[in-house]
Amino acid sequence: MEPRAVLSLDEIDLSDLGFWLRPWDEREGAFQTLRRENPRAFFEEPTDIDSPIPLPHGPGYRALTLHADVTEVSRHPEIYRSGQGAVSMIDLPPEMVEYFAGMISTDNPRHARLRRIVSQAFNPRMIKSIEDRIQTVADEVIDQVSGMGECDFVTEVAAALPLTIICELMGVPKSEHERVFRCSNLILSMGDPEYMPEGEHPIMAFLAAGAELTELMQAIGAERIEHPTDDLTSALINSNIDGESLTHAELASFFILLLTAGNETTRTAIAHGLWALTEHPEERAVWMADLEGVTPTAVDEIVRWASPVIWMRRTVAEDIVLAGDDLHAGDKVLLFYNSANRDERVFEDPFRFDVRRHPNPHLGFGAAGPHFCLGAHLAREELQVMFRELLTRLPDIEATAEPDRLQSNFINGIKHLPCRFTPKKPVSA
Ligand code: HEM
């Protein structure tokens, strides 16, 4: 896909939802213009959000579009803070803090403490132990559709693996997976009409989804206190570092952060992966010719290509100069990972989908720093297993229509993607 510069610099408004509904090539064209002509452009915050609870009107933000700036900011959390007003574009009002101000919106020393607690439970050894499970679930997901010859790739394939794995990790029973799917869609999409309950205001629906997941956590948590298991929720409830354990509110927001972060992002990457393979049959051929050898680089290229999380925010704690631009205490900066991942200063031929790209210093999981994605290892494993299985069992699978995209400036989501393939018997049949 080549970028199309249909907007001039003055016409680009990243705060306008309309911008995010433009075709991908136009969006890419706009970010290319920003990188070239004003890589740290200032934007007013959206003013037209009709909200039943008061939202603070913020000072606007700088859109950081270069790989070097996103890297620099992520590396200096003492200057570019996550806990000052959260990592959302608009500061979180108090009603939302309880559910949504998880570890991702904290700074040291609190962040280090929370990350230590969760990392204990969420380490490569634990992920290793679920590798077999990822393989089994991926097989089951493909079994469900393999005889059909066509399906909705997002809801029936891409969503099913990460949802099942994260729910199992957290100890969410199967009967509640659908609820987690619905609530995490609501929380991360924040406004796409498809996910909104009839007649409900998006912000109230967002809060209700947070409350619903908290209730679920309370029920599972109470059970785990009585009967600990080896799931993540048990580990979090019983974690105790230097005599400290998680407070009730911390536990609730952790639960919500893990369920939402572990779900929609990986689903988005898998869906973009199929779309990219459909549009680039020559890259599929390269991958299939050496499935084992190419899978690791292909999966990272899918994450770069998809950039499932479009941005995260930081707030400047002290006056500082960033690449020649003066920033002042209280200024907001948005780290546009999607743009950093197409930065022509870093990536050769950035608009080429190249399954063998190496090196590939993409920032899809964030840049190096304390907030780097906790689930990167898990997500890579899920993507590797899923594509290895798909390309082995349904090798001609392809999308049959354009993706139906999520209306969001935050997640580069795909809601539906019809696909077809030569039907095969399920392996378990
Ligand atoms: C392809 C899939 C994924 C992508 C693209 C992705 C992307 C990201 C990004 C961009 C960040 C922010 C980094 C920063 O602010 O510096 C992040 C943080 C995080 N991610 Fe992921 N993620 C994915 C999968 C997962 C999974 C499977 C989980 C796990 C359960 C997860 C859990 C988290 C958590 C807990 C944080 C916050 C870490 C912190 O603040 O210390 N993510 N992710």
Side-chain angles (χ1 to χ4, degrees):
M1 179 209 2
E2 285 303 313
R4 273 201 309 140
V6 299
L7 297 175
S8 67
L9 186 61
D10 294 346
E11 289 169 332
I12 300 170
D13 180 4
L14 300 183
S15 289
D16 174 11
L17 188 58
F19 172 82
W20 298 97
L21 301 179
R22 286 178 173 273
W24 274 312
D25 56 352
E26 291 185 22
R27 276 164 46 173
E28 294 290 7
F31 277 102
Q32 196 176 46
T33 302
L34 285 169
R35 284 194 299 279
R36 190 181 55 238
E37 296 177 23
N38 193 359
R40 289 170 287 280
F42 176 82
F43 293 94
E44 295 290 347
E45 286 169 44
T47 46
D48 55 349
I49 303 176
D50 123 67
S51 168
I53 55 172
L55 293 177
H57 181 63
Y61 59 89
R62 295 265 196 158
L64 306 187
T65 55
L66 299 184
H67 192 281
D69 290 345
V70 173
T71 305
E72 169 71 10
V73 164
S74 305
R75 192 182 286 151
H76 291 288
E78 69 294 351
I79 298 169
Y80 302 99
R81 301 273 172 89
S82 297
Q84 218 167 304
V87 288
S88 43
M89 188 185 287
I90 297 174
D91 286 4
L92 285 185
E95 288 88 338
M96 294 192 183
V97 169
E98 183 182 346
Y99 304 135
F100 304 111
M103 170 174 79
I104 201 163
S105 291
T106 59
D107 296 307
N108 280 343
R110 189 153 171 239
H111 177 261
R113 173 180 154 260
L114 292 172
R115 182 110 184 183
R116 221 165 37 235
I117 293 177
V118 77
S119 301
Q120 267 197 340
F122 211 84
N123 52 36
R125 195 165 25 86
M126 195 275 283
I127 303 298
K128 183 95 197 121
S129 74
I130 60 160
E131 272 175 15
D132 287 349
R133 191 62 198 139
I134 294 175
Q135 181 69 49
T136 307
V137 175
D139 277 337
E140 285 168 2
V141 166
I142 297 175
D143 272 354
Q144 291 289 323
V145 300
S146 63
M148 292 161 34
E150 58 180 20
C151 68
D152 180 343
F153 185 73
V154 178
T155 55
E156 293 176 79
V157 180
L161 176 66
L163 177 71
T164 307
I165 294 297
I166 194 70
C167 283
E168 288 186 0
L169 273 173
M170 305 296 291
V172 177
K174 181 101 184 127
S175 55
E176 301 290 354
H177 288 194
E178 192 52 43
R179 183 206 291 249
V180 169
F181 182 71
R182 180 172 48 75
C183 291
S184 64
N185 278 343
L186 253 162
I187 291 169
L188 279 189
S189 70
M190 185 59 166
D192 189 293
E194 179 169 334
Y195 299 132
M196 283 305 123
E198 203 50 45
E200 198 161 342
H201 191 283
I203 289 183
M204 300 319 283
F206 177 81
L207 283 173
E212 213 176 318
L213 288 182
T214 301
E215 227 170 82
L216 180 62
M217 187 281 297
Q218 280 165 345
I220 300 171
E223 169 78 22
R224 293 302 183 276
I225 290 172
E226 292 294 310
H227 307 287
T229 67
D230 56 2
D231 65 28
L232 206 52
T233 303
S234 296
L236 291 176
I237 285 180
N238 297 309
S239 61
N240 197 316
I241 291 187
D242 304 333
E244 275 186 302
S245 49
L246 293 172
T247 65
H248 181 78
E250 285 168 344
L251 201 53
S253 56
F254 239 130
F255 191 78
I256 294 173
L257 175 63
L258 288 174
L259 286 178
T260 49
N263 226 321
E264 186 129 352
T265 48
T266 315
R267 173 204 322 173
T268 294
I270 296 173
H272 276 274
L274 181 67
W275 180 238
L277 288 177
T278 305
E279 289 211 298
H280 303 271
E282 70 296 346
E283 291 299 306
R284 174 197 300 253
V286 168
W287 193 349
M288 287 181 66
D290 179 11
L291 204 52
E292 284 310 310
V294 173
T295 295
T297 52
V299 156
D300 268 276
E301 179 67 344
I302 287 175
V303 176
R304 180 187 80 89
W305 194 248
S307 298
V309 176
I310 298 175
W311 52 261
M312 285 283 169
R313 169 188 146 200
R314 300 292 190 265
T315 307
V316 179
E318 60 191 65
D319 293 359
I320 183 115
V321 179
L322 177 67
D325 276 345
D326 288 330
L327 299 179
H328 301 286
D331 285 356
K332 296 178 180 183
V333 289
L334 261 60
L335 283 54
F336 279 91
Y337 301 120
N338 63 324
S339 178
N341 284 343
R342 298 285 187 276
D343 189 342
E344 29 299 269
R345 292 153 196 78
V346 173
F347 297 98
E348 204 183 307
D349 221 349
F351 294 98
R352 183 168 128 65
F353 177 67
D354 174 3
V355 292
R356 282 179 300 190
R357 186 179 290 278
H358 185 77
N360 188 349
H362 71 80
L363 305 183
F365 292 116
H371 291 278
F372 182 79
C373 177
L374 180 76
H377 193 78
L378 173 61
R380 283 194 174 105
E381 184 66 29
E382 289 182 13
L383 281 155
Q384 293 199 12
V385 171
M386 182 51 100
F387 278 99
R388 234 180 359 237
E389 288 308 308
L390 281 171
L391 294 177
T392 306
R393 295 182 53 193
L394 307 175
D396 60 355
I397 186 167
E398 62 177 3
T400 52
E402 290 272 326
D404 180 3
R405 294 157 52 198
L406 183 71
Q407 293 187 21
S408 166
N409 69 0
F410 178 59
I411 296 287
N412 191 22
I414 297 181
K415 295 185 294 183
H416 304 284
L417 185 65
C419 73
R420 77 171 158 235
F421 43 86
T422 305
K424 295 274 170 63
K425 275 204 183 98
V427 284
S428 56

